[in-house]
Amino acid sequence: MFADVSQELKGKDCLTLFDYTPEQLTYLLQLAKDIKVKQKANQIYQPLKGKVLGMIFEKSSTRTRVSFESGIYQLGGTGLFLSSNDLQLGRGELISDTAKVLSGYLDGIMIRTFSQADVEALASDASIPVINGLTDDFHPCQVLADLQTIEEEKGKLQGLKIAYIGDGNNMAHSIMVGAVKMGMHFATAAPAEYLPKQSITEKAQKIADEQKVDINVTTDPVEAIKDADIVYTDVWASMGQESEQKKRETLFADYQVNKELLTHAKDDYLFMHCLPAHRGEEVTADIIDGDHSVVFQEAENRLHAQKALMVALMGD
């Protein structure tokens, strides 16, 4: 089965997890696991020797840049950091022109930007794989690492419940899609005006129905977190929303992940956060730094999951 899946993924883009079947996601997670084992054993594994990944950044990053740049190097290839200020994109060159030019130089493109439409336009005109490193709507690479972490800790994905508490942003969207694709129940809670986009929720609900799992979108954090195996949160104001920080602190005050709220989760819950975190805002320090937290394991797995993605999409 995996041989067929491997062929399906060669040359494919990674724009959202909607584009991937459960079998393809299972393959990527197994590959990430195998790659991590090799790295921990100091085995040289360079299937992308001679390959070049271009990394376009319109949004700053710690984990995305370092994990992709380290990952392509460890796989035998080279990563090129391409700030939008250094490209003609920053001076008005058409995305389609940039896509065609870069396709002649590179073996893959990772882009971290604001607009999902821009990523999709880039992929439409590129003849090489395009990987979404983050947009305002989706963050698929993070969720691949999240799923890898959950499977490592819980031994499975299917049947578990993940509760996302906070802003219905790119992380809420991507976790919802990744969870239901893998047979997990998903619940989320936020103030009414900050819930995930209805169009994305409706699309995910169709997948949930096929997989016979639940999606619960609510304004009640206690309802969302009840009996959760995994509790996830993110900052209340993401990049580009700094002017709303004070307003959001007031609106989200009842959505802080703290000891009291977590009494409604399962006793052996995992706490997850994509980082960076604001201790004392979306989560208290005793939780993110406590025994249930796997945030740094999760961050490390960005490296292994993205290496698997690059091997699958860019490899020969």
Side-chain angles (χ1 to χ4, degrees):
M1 180 188 72
F2 276 170
D4 293 337
V5 173
S6 174
Q7 290 302 312
E8 293 169 4
L9 290 172
K10 288 189 185 304
K12 187 177 175 69
D13 299 316
C14 180
L15 308 183
T16 84
L17 296 185
F18 278 125
D19 302 329
Y20 286 74
T21 66
E23 292 76 19
Q24 289 170 340
L25 292 175
T26 299
Y27 170 79
L28 288 171
L29 293 174
Q30 182 60 51
L31 183 57
K33 178 181 177 181
D34 294 343
I35 287 173
K36 185 174 183 177
V37 168
K38 286 182 172 65
Q39 179 158 328
K40 296 297 183 182
N42 294 317
Q43 294 180 23
I44 295 174
Y45 177 64
Q46 297 186 328
L48 298 187
K49 196 167 187 177
K51 302 279 187 177
V52 183
L53 176 73
M55 304 179 297
I56 300 173
F57 283 90
E58 290 190 314
K59 281 190 174 185
S60 59
S61 168
T62 298
R63 281 149 291 277
T64 299
R65 178 174 179 182
V66 177
S67 57
F68 267 108
E69 196 161 345
S70 298
I72 187 67
Y73 174 78
Q74 291 167 8
L75 293 169
T78 300
L80 297 179
F81 174 78
L82 304 171
S83 166
S84 59
N85 295 326
D86 299 329
L87 296 174
Q88 294 298 331
L89 270 175
R91 299 180 63 238
E93 182 174 48
L94 294 175
I95 291 175
S96 59
D97 288 353
T98 299
K100 292 168 185 174
V101 168
L102 293 182
S103 294
Y105 300 148
L106 306 170
D107 300 286
I109 301 169
M110 188 285 300
I111 179 168
R112 182 178 172 94
T113 186
F114 295 88
S115 169
Q116 181 70 20
D118 286 350
V119 174
E120 292 175 0
L122 183 71
S124 177
D125 284 293
S127 58
I128 55 177
V130 172
I131 298 171
N132 178 1
L134 175 143
T135 65
D136 288 345
D137 285 333
F138 294 103
H139 197 356
C141 293
Q142 176 66 54
V143 175
L144 286 174
D146 297 338
L147 293 172
Q148 181 181 355
T149 306
I150 294 167
E151 195 166 44
E152 287 175 347
E153 288 297 310
K154 294 293 188 180
K156 65 175 185 176
L157 295 172
Q158 193 167 20
L160 298 178
K161 176 182 175 179
I162 183 165
Y164 178 92
I165 309 297
D167 186 24
N169 58 15
N170 48 13
M171 283 309 310
H173 294 154
S174 293
I175 293 168
M176 175 164 51
V177 178
V180 298
K181 285 265 186 181
M182 300 309 293
M184 301 173 70
H185 304 288
F186 175 82
T188 186
E193 61 269 41
Y194 294 96
L195 291 169
K197 289 184 177 181
Q198 186 173 353
S199 59
I200 294 173
T201 301
E202 289 175 352
K203 193 173 178 181
Q205 184 64 60
K206 292 179 181 178
I207 299 167
D209 292 342
E210 294 170 1
Q211 297 281 34
K212 295 181 172 56
V213 294
D214 300 322
I215 291 178
N216 181 16
V217 178
T218 178
T219 58
D220 184 350
V222 173
E223 178 186 340
I225 206 171
K226 183 174 174 55
D227 295 327
D229 298 282
I230 302 100
V231 177
Y232 204 118
T233 193
D234 191 8
V235 294
W236 291 336
S238 299
M239 280 181 284
Q241 300 170 338
E242 289 82 4
S243 64
E244 301 178 28
Q245 179 69 33
K246 293 301 180 184
K247 173 187 175 184
R248 286 171 177 253
E249 284 178 11
T250 300
L251 288 171
F252 281 92
D254 292 335
Y255 295 86
Q256 183 186 72
V257 177
N258 53 38
K259 190 175 295 185
E260 180 181 355
L261 182 60
L262 284 163
T263 60
H264 301 282
K266 288 187 178 176
D267 291 341
D268 61 346
Y269 74 88
L270 299 179
F271 174 75
M272 304 184 78
H273 193 306
C274 56
L275 302 178
H278 295 165
R279 289 166 173 79
E281 291 181 18
E282 73 272 9
V283 61
T284 54
D286 60 323
I287 299 303
I288 192 171
D289 298 320
D291 294 338
H292 292 266
S293 177
V294 291
V295 297
F296 296 110
Q297 178 179 344
E298 179 187 0
E300 181 192 329
N301 281 340
R302 287 287 302 277
L303 173 67
H304 310 301
Q306 289 163 187
K307 285 168 76 173
L309 190 62
M310 288 188 284
V311 170
L313 306 188
M314 295 169 57
D316 296 325

